[in-house]
Amino acid sequence: MSSSAWNAILLTIQVSTLATLIIFVPAVLLAWWFARRESVTSHFLFSLFGLPMVLPPTAVGYLLLQLLADEGPMGPVLMGLNLNLLLTWQAAVLAAAVMAFPLVIRTAKVAFENVDSDLEAIGRTLGRGPWSTFATVSLPLASRGLLAAAILGFTRAVGEFGATITVAGNIPGKTQTIASAIYSSQQSGNRTEAAVLVVFALCLGWIAIFCTELLIRRSTIASRQP
Amino acid sequence: MSEKPTLSIDLKLPLQPFTLRCSTTLAEQVTGLFGPSGSGKTSLVETITGLRRNAKGRIVFGDTVWMDSDQNIFLPPEQRGIGFVPQRGLLFPHLNVRQNLLFGSKRAKPNAEKSAQASRDLFDQVVDILNLGELLHRKPAALSGGERQRVAAGRAVCSNPQLLILDEPLSSLDLALRYKTLAFFIRLVNDLKLSMIWVSHDAIEVQAICDELIVIERGEFTHRGNPVQVLSNPKVFPTLEFSGFQNVLPCRIVESTEVQTRVRLDGGSAQLILSETIRDQKNEPGASAFVTIPARSILISTENPSHVSAGNRLPSTIVRIEPQSQSVAAVLVQLKNQSDQSPLVIELTTAALNRLKLEQGQSVYVLIKSTACVLQTVGQNST
């Protein structure tokens, strides 16, 4: 395997893992809130967080670019410090995180919806506050579904292309991920490298989908009332 | 035990298609809420537990205000010191029985003098009373329906509640299992002196366990008082389920032989002979039990019959006659040598009533077939 392919694989795993870790906790908390509170605000926010799923990824990348630009809301002028994110691997993490967020929230929300909310109510009558009930009832009962959410988020991050290439570029050894490496090798006619990367992506994706299916099926059985 | 706190409720609760209104004080140890499904029972207890928030009004327990919509006070469920046993049990599926029982034992608001040792004792007592010892390591999925409801009750009791609220805790069980499980709840009340609100539409349950009964219909409290008095009221009596009114008589076992069981009714010295036999060490003489006798299976004779097959001939006095319809009446009689707490209810046709010319105050004999009585043992009182 060429070193550029190997670099792309390592960087992709690093970027996707970090992106998943960053979004997991906020996504789980928001998903719980969305699953339990039906209000105009929650519907509004839920659809807002879903946008990266329906927008062209390059559009999301463009918006991120505007956000991080010199005059943007997160740019050096308004923030007072220069994050220097553009065209770095950290920008790839940001792009992957934003793109994976809706999928993680949606899967986690379903996991919480499968937990009987009456069980949480019982927890409250037994003297536990809302957070304690969340930690001892909702979280363990949703755990399989939440793990599935994390795996799906990770795979979404692995496959990210449009937003990543817009904010992080496609610099071999620096910001080139599997997706952009496949694109480059295909463009340059390097069929072997493209094939190696495609096979790797295929295996990773297949294992991930298989695990999620297994987890989601088991979680619906486990959280069902006897 | 200190003075039992009373629960004052003054509520207006919008439901579909009516509004539940009630203004009352509950002071008895076990109060029954009795009514058909859809009458608002569950919504009312959910409001008392704090799980339902759309009511207007005030709930005060002892000197703690649980809710006052005028002053915007709403105490969350975890601070009300209640135990709740829902119809579906709702055990935590990811925890075993022991973990379920101990889930609420770290209650945020424990009774001041309760120490770790006391809560340990409570756990052991609950496991003993509800006979859960062999189930402690099982997951809820591996329990039967009756076991599940016993664990649900135990879990609520282990949280050391000031008030236990049970929402049709036995209605998911079939009839045979229902009264066996009821016996465990009666022992909980007797041994631990718990205060309870018992929601049910089963007339046997409420007579066996409740000190006071409130009938709720379409969101209104329509009748209230001693369970037998309430259930024999002409407005309530005809609504009782398929088998009609059942007399529920608490008693103690006197002796049990190969062919029959003899019991002495609580609150007096009258005895009954039943054809049922029991062979269980827990049900030795002195054990508490209750007998159910359908009001339709009891006969009245104006003289002491000598040639009759019925195993029980009890001298009694007619206390009251309640016409229920054109054709049927309920006759309430007081057995000789029994306190006047619990009259026996007998369903007679108006024709029989007229033929015998029965009237209030008259002395009669009550005839009960030994095979018409069903015995349900509660077990040895630990005291």
Side-chain angles (χ1 to χ4, degrees):
Chain A
M1 197 188 303
S2 75
S3 78
S4 68
W6 187 238
N7 279 338
I9 288 173
L10 284 184
L11 183 72
T12 304
I13 290 174
Q14 181 189 344
V15 164
S16 307
T17 309
L18 265 173
T20 311
L21 287 178
I22 290 169
I23 57 175
F24 190 65
V25 172
V28 163
L29 292 177
L30 276 168
W32 184 47
W33 186 63
F34 290 142
R36 290 293 178 249
R37 295 271 181 284
E38 292 264 321
S39 68
V40 180
T41 325
S42 73
H43 283 300
F44 177 77
L45 285 175
F46 187 62
S47 52
L48 187 72
F49 288 127
L51 281 179
M53 230 166 54
V54 293
L55 286 178
T58 43
V60 177
Y62 178 81
L63 288 173
L64 286 176
L65 214 50
Q66 296 306 307
L67 208 64
L68 295 168
D70 282 355
E71 304 284 328
M74 283 178 76
V77 174
L78 283 173
M79 286 273 283
L81 88 161
N82 194 349
L83 293 172
N84 259 334
L85 275 180
L86 294 177
L87 299 181
T88 63
W89 68 269
Q90 287 93 335
V93 172
L94 179 69
V98 169
M99 293 306 293
F101 199 56
L103 194 62
V104 177
I105 280 205
R106 262 150 222 267
T107 317
K109 180 171 175 250
V110 173
F112 283 122
E113 280 166 350
N114 276 332
V115 176
D116 190 341
S117 63
D118 286 350
L119 287 173
E120 293 171 359
I122 288 292
R124 301 287 299 275
T125 68
L126 290 165
R128 305 270 189 148
W131 287 109
S132 173
T133 306
F134 173 72
T136 52
V137 179
S138 328
L139 214 49
L141 283 174
S143 57
R144 285 168 175 279
L146 297 180
L147 192 56
I151 295 176
L152 282 180
F154 177 81
T155 50
R156 179 67 190 83
V158 168
E160 217 314 286
F161 177 70
T164 309
I165 210 160
T166 312
V167 290
N170 183 5
I171 310 164
K174 199 173 164 226
T175 65
Q176 190 175 63
T177 62
I178 295 180
S180 41
I182 292 173
Y183 177 73
S184 295
S185 49
Q186 181 263 326
Q187 290 283 305
S188 61
N190 188 345
R191 300 184 74 173
T192 329
E193 182 155 316
V196 167
L197 289 164
V198 166
V199 167
F200 182 83
L202 211 89
C203 293
L204 193 69
W206 186 64
I207 292 170
I209 295 278
F210 184 79
C211 290
T212 2
E213 284 298 311
L214 213 66
L215 284 167
I216 289 177
R217 184 166 309 166
R218 288 256 179 87
S219 83
T220 11
I221 294 167
S223 55
R224 198 174 291 155
Q225 269 298 296
Chain B
M1 194 91 191
S2 54
E3 185 79 0
K4 179 190 168 320
T6 58
L7 180 70
S8 312
I9 310 168
D10 188 356
L11 284 179
K12 221 166 92 181
L13 176 60
L15 299 173
Q16 285 301 327
F18 52 80
T19 295
L20 186 147
R21 283 164 217 275
C22 66
S23 177
T24 192
T25 300
L26 307 183
E28 295 291 337
Q29 194 189 351
V30 182
T31 302
L33 274 181
F34 185 79
S37 42
S39 56
K41 305 185 299 276
T42 296
S43 308
L44 176 58
V45 292
E46 281 176 356
T47 306
I48 298 173
T49 55
L51 295 174
R52 182 185 269 269
R53 304 187 67 134
N54 64 339
K56 293 247 172 298
R58 216 172 126 81
I59 302 175
V60 182
F61 183 71
D63 44 20
T64 315
V65 179
W66 280 359
M67 181 193 135
D68 189 330
S69 54
D70 288 342
Q71 295 184 55
N72 246 336
I73 298 174
F74 187 91
L75 209 60
E78 63 268 24
Q79 290 173 27
R80 296 192 181 193
I82 38 150
F84 184 51
V85 182
Q87 187 176 347
R88 295 191 291 142
L90 288 172
L91 301 180
F92 300 116
H94 58 305
L95 304 177
N96 67 21
V97 169
R98 172 190 290 275
Q99 291 163 329
N100 263 286
L101 290 173
L102 291 172
F103 188 90
S105 61
K106 299 188 194 92
R107 180 172 282 285
K109 189 182 161 193
N111 286 3
E113 73 273 21
K114 289 278 174 182
S115 61
Q117 179 58 38
S119 96
R120 187 85 223 139
D121 288 349
L122 183 62
F123 176 82
D124 291 339
Q125 250 180 312
V126 165
V127 168
D128 179 50
I129 294 174
L130 297 174
N131 198 13
L132 300 175
E134 310 219 323
L135 310 177
L136 289 175
H137 297 289
R138 290 210 207 148
K139 284 282 184 72
L143 300 178
S144 72
E147 289 168 342
R148 247 173 247 160
Q149 291 308 98
R150 267 150 60 199
V151 176
R155 176 180 64 180
V157 174
C158 281
S159 75
N160 191 25
Q162 300 168 283
L163 176 66
L164 199 58
I165 298 175
L166 305 101
D167 186 10
E168 310 213 17
L170 306 177
S171 66
S172 61
L173 309 177
D174 63 51
L175 281 181
L177 191 58
R178 188 180 291 185
Y179 302 119
K180 278 203 174 62
T181 311
L182 175 62
F184 287 105
F185 285 87
I186 294 175
R187 286 189 62 194
L188 273 184
V189 175
N190 292 345
D191 291 4
L192 299 177
K193 308 280 176 271
L194 291 171
S195 299
M196 286 188 185
I197 296 178
W198 183 279
V199 177
S200 176
H201 61 251
D202 183 297
I204 294 182
E205 271 172 46
V206 294
Q207 285 185 78
I209 203 165
C210 298
D211 301 308
E212 184 188 41
L213 192 60
I214 297 174
V215 177
I216 173 168
E217 276 166 45
R218 292 184 59 84
E220 307 269 354
F221 287 3
T222 50
H223 304 275
R224 179 173 187 172
N226 167 292
V228 177
Q229 308 283 2
V230 168
L231 294 173
S232 58
N233 183 296
K235 293 249 168 54
V236 182
F237 195 85
T239 68
L240 299 180
E241 281 178 3
F242 52 95
S243 56
F245 183 92
Q246 299 271 343
N247 290 285
V248 179
L249 309 171
C251 58
R252 299 261 171 172
I253 290 165
V254 176
E255 59 164 359
S256 188
T257 69
E258 301 269 300
V259 290
Q260 65 177 38
T261 302
R262 184 194 296 274
V263 300
R264 181 171 48 76
L265 301 183
D266 288 0
S269 59
Q271 297 202 347
L272 280 181
I273 292 170
L274 324 173
S275 60
E276 260 183 89
T277 60
I278 39 175
R279 299 206 194 95
D280 186 343
Q281 290 170 329
K282 276 195 174 165
N283 303 316
E284 287 165 354
S288 6
F290 61 89
V291 173
T292 58
I293 312 166
R296 288 174 190 163
S297 311
I298 307 176
L299 309 181
I300 288 184
S301 168
T302 48
E303 51 196 41
N304 189 356
S306 45
H307 299 89
V308 63
S309 65
N312 299 289
R313 284 168 300 171
L314 306 166
S316 316
T317 311
I318 294 178
V319 190
R320 215 166 61 238
I321 298 175
E322 300 258 20
Q324 303 294 345
S325 66
Q326 294 223 314
S327 56
V328 178
V331 180
L332 279 68
V333 304
Q334 184 64 53
L335 299 180
K336 202 178 159 197
N337 301 327
Q338 284 295 112
S339 74
D340 54 6
Q341 292 292 317
S342 49
L344 198 64
V345 178
I346 303 165
E347 193 174 329
L348 291 185
T349 59
T350 317
L353 208 61
N354 294 335
R355 196 166 62 239
L356 294 178
K357 299 191 176 61
L358 296 181
E359 54 189 35
Q360 195 171 327
Q362 190 174 352
S363 293
V364 292
Y365 284 85
V366 166
L367 310 181
I368 308 169
K369 285 161 68 80
S370 316
T371 51
C373 307
V374 177
L375 182 70
Q376 187 60 62
T377 49
V378 172
Q380 208 78 35
N381 264 21
S382 60
T383 42

